[in-house]
Amino acid sequence: MGSQAFERALTVDSDNFVSSFKQQLSMDSDPPFRQTYKKLFEDTNTIENLVIAVEECELPLIDLNRLSNREPAEKRESCKAEIARASQEWGFFQVINHGISRDLLEKMRQEQVKVFKQSFNNKTKEDKFPAGSYRWGTPTATCLRQLSWSEAFHIPTTDIHAGGSGSLNTTLSSTMEQFATTVAGLAQQLAEILAGKLGHKSTFFRENCLPSTCYLRMNRYPPCPFPVEVCGLMPHTDSDFLTILHQDLVGGLQLVKDGKWIAVKPNPEALIINIGDLFQAWSNDVYKSVQHRVMTNPSVERFSTAYFFCPSYDTVIHQNCTTKPSIYRKFSFIEFRQQVQEDVQKFGHKVGLPRFLLRSH
Ligand code: OGA
Ligand code: NI
């Protein structure tokens, strides 16, 4: 929709106050995007068309059955080589036979649907969910391009395991716990394979990325009346070692490959893995943390669950796995997080790894 058509849609909508009011009443679980970000929609100068014919592609698909000890060594090695290659060339891949049962994924999804179905008011109640875990929109957005049309529960896994999510209903927290525990095993295994491929037989991940330092994020992307102008999730890279994502079949996830946005074709059997900033730094740019985003859909809601594999805040990230000179200076995870927060406040977006480049680069 061009910006004129867009203005028209806004005008028609305000004429149609009664029907949109009714719609609001029936959707009281959706956050109030339109009211809260009214100003951004009015500033038609900054409205951009985000959709420039994006091709759909299959991510590299890796069958993890081949890692089993029952398989011959060459098969295991070729599977590991595929994981490393995809992490270098795409920064993204999908895995099947990943060991997380369909049942568990289904249960997680059902619980997630239920928790988002509650009224918006309930979701924002601090005593119902761990403090600060419910997030929606983009409080720092200064133009439409910076707004994410989504809501999420961002929960430290330590809260799940230690019962710190005590205010969550018990089926939800026990399902999240099972999910986080199983997915943590997969994250650990993949991280060790990637380290191994750099010639690094290290216990780094076992020592530093504990269940108490990772995060689980349940995302919901409500239908969006402005799918051409507003993202479900703004372009970003993940601030972790790696992310494991389970998405439904709606689609909308896109990533940058060879300088172009491409859309990921959903695969119901697969989990999506992507490399985060910390792995890129730790591997001295061998593995790539690539930009990705989620597009919105005008009529269908979309759900996804992400597990962020993170170290403790005091963990220092530095490369010692390549013979090349280091590209980034040493930094601790807390330093990285603080820099990201500062940049988001100041510029409305994250700068990320370029902040930590050594001067010679
Ligand atoms: C994220 C993310 C993608 C998705 O939560 O960081 O990139 O499909 N999510 O929800
Ligand atoms: Ni992400």
Side-chain angles (χ1 to χ4, degrees):
M1 183 159 48
S3 75
Q4 274 184 347
F6 177 63
E7 276 175 65
R8 212 162 41 239
L10 275 184
T11 322
V12 169
D13 212 36
S14 51
D15 287 348
N16 229 345
F17 179 73
V18 175
S19 82
S20 79
F21 183 65
K22 276 188 189 149
Q23 191 190 5
Q24 278 299 327
L25 280 182
S26 62
M27 309 271 263
D28 70 344
S29 61
D30 282 356
F33 289 104
R34 286 208 215 184
Q35 292 97 304
T36 309
Y37 296 102
K38 198 160 165 266
K39 281 226 152 48
L40 305 187
F41 286 101
E42 281 164 0
D43 183 5
T44 46
N45 290 329
T46 64
I47 294 176
E48 260 181 68
N49 186 336
L50 296 165
V51 184
I52 309 158
V54 169
E55 229 176 281
E56 194 172 52
C57 74
E58 283 273 352
L59 289 177
L61 182 68
I62 300 176
D63 183 349
L64 297 186
N65 257 347
R66 289 175 301 154
L67 291 174
S68 148
N69 284 332
R70 292 184 303 276
E71 296 291 339
E74 325 74 90
K75 257 197 165 167
R76 294 205 301 268
E77 282 315 308
S78 79
C79 181
K80 292 178 185 176
E82 277 176 34
I83 292 172
R85 193 173 338 116
S87 305
Q88 289 178 41
E89 293 174 4
W90 290 74
F92 259 87
F93 54 97
Q94 37 183 358
V95 294
I96 49 169
N97 295 313
H98 39 63
I100 291 95
S101 76
R102 196 188 277 245
D103 252 22
L104 179 55
L105 291 174
E106 184 51 35
K107 223 164 75 188
M108 184 69 215
R109 180 54 33 89
Q110 280 169 8
E111 289 303 316
Q112 188 170 338
V113 170
K114 268 198 259 170
V115 77
F116 281 113
K117 269 229 173 86
Q118 301 183 59
S119 71
F120 174 69
N121 279 345
N122 252 355
K123 288 185 279 198
T124 52
K125 279 187 187 144
E126 292 277 320
D127 57 337
K128 284 203 86 179
F129 299 100
S133 63
Y134 179 65
R135 300 170 185 188
W136 68 279
T138 314
T140 52
T142 54
C143 61
L144 263 200
R145 214 168 41 121
Q146 291 175 347
L147 171 62
S148 292
W149 193 278
S150 51
E151 53 179 336
F153 286 97
H154 189 91
I155 301 179
T157 49
T158 187
D159 280 355
I160 306 173
H161 295 296
S165 56
S167 43
L168 291 175
N169 84 56
T170 46
T171 354
L172 174 62
S173 46
S174 82
T175 309
M176 281 197 307
E177 176 155 25
Q178 259 183 56
F179 182 83
T181 308
T182 334
V183 172
L186 175 61
Q188 197 70 247
Q189 185 186 20
L190 293 170
E192 282 177 9
I193 289 172
L194 288 168
K197 278 285 163 191
L198 296 170
H200 219 273
K201 294 263 169 296
S202 95
T203 52
F204 177 87
F205 296 102
R206 263 166 226 233
E207 283 161 9
N208 297 296
C209 303
L210 304 172
S212 56
T213 60
C214 297
Y215 294 86
L216 195 65
R217 186 176 166 101
M218 301 185 281
N219 296 306
R220 174 176 176 261
Y221 301 88
C224 172
F226 315 103
V228 177
E229 296 83 1
V230 184
C231 267
L233 193 58
M234 269 200 3
H236 67 281
T237 58
D238 291 350
S239 303
D240 60 352
F241 274 105
L242 59 86
T243 307
I244 300 184
L245 183 83
H246 178 234
Q247 63 164 343
D248 62 20
L249 295 177
V250 173
L253 177 62
Q254 300 187 344
L255 61 101
V256 174
K257 170 87 170 102
D258 303 326
K260 274 195 332 214
W261 284 107
I262 54 173
V264 175
K265 190 170 169 191
N267 174 337
E269 304 294 320
L271 293 174
I272 293 176
I273 315 293
N274 68 282
I275 299 297
D277 300 335
L278 303 186
F279 228 136
Q280 176 165 330
W282 197 81
S283 70
N284 210 22
D285 273 2
V286 173
Y287 301 134
K288 303 291 185 319
S289 173
V290 311
Q291 291 261 343
H292 51 286
R293 65 181 180 186
V294 177
M295 304 311 281
T296 45
N297 186 302
S299 49
V300 196
E301 62 181 345
R302 172 178 184 268
F303 291 93
S304 72
T305 317
Y307 181 84
F308 298 101
F309 189 57
C310 298
S312 60
Y313 281 139
D314 58 358
T315 303
V316 175
I317 317 297
H318 61 106
Q319 78 102 10
N320 51 8
C321 15
T322 65
T323 48
K324 299 202 179 114
S326 292
I327 296 173
Y328 305 100
R329 70 169 175 83
K330 281 185 191 179
F331 57 86
S332 67
F333 184 42
I334 186 74
E335 224 184 312
F336 190 80
R337 290 277 301 241
Q338 281 168 348
Q339 185 68 57
V340 168
Q341 269 163 17
E342 203 181 301
D343 290 338
V344 167
Q345 290 298 333
K346 235 197 259 168
F347 309 117
H349 60 85
K350 160 180 165 182
V351 178
L353 279 183
R355 280 259 181 244
F356 297 88
L357 283 170
L358 279 170
R359 217 163 284 155
S360 54
H361 284 273

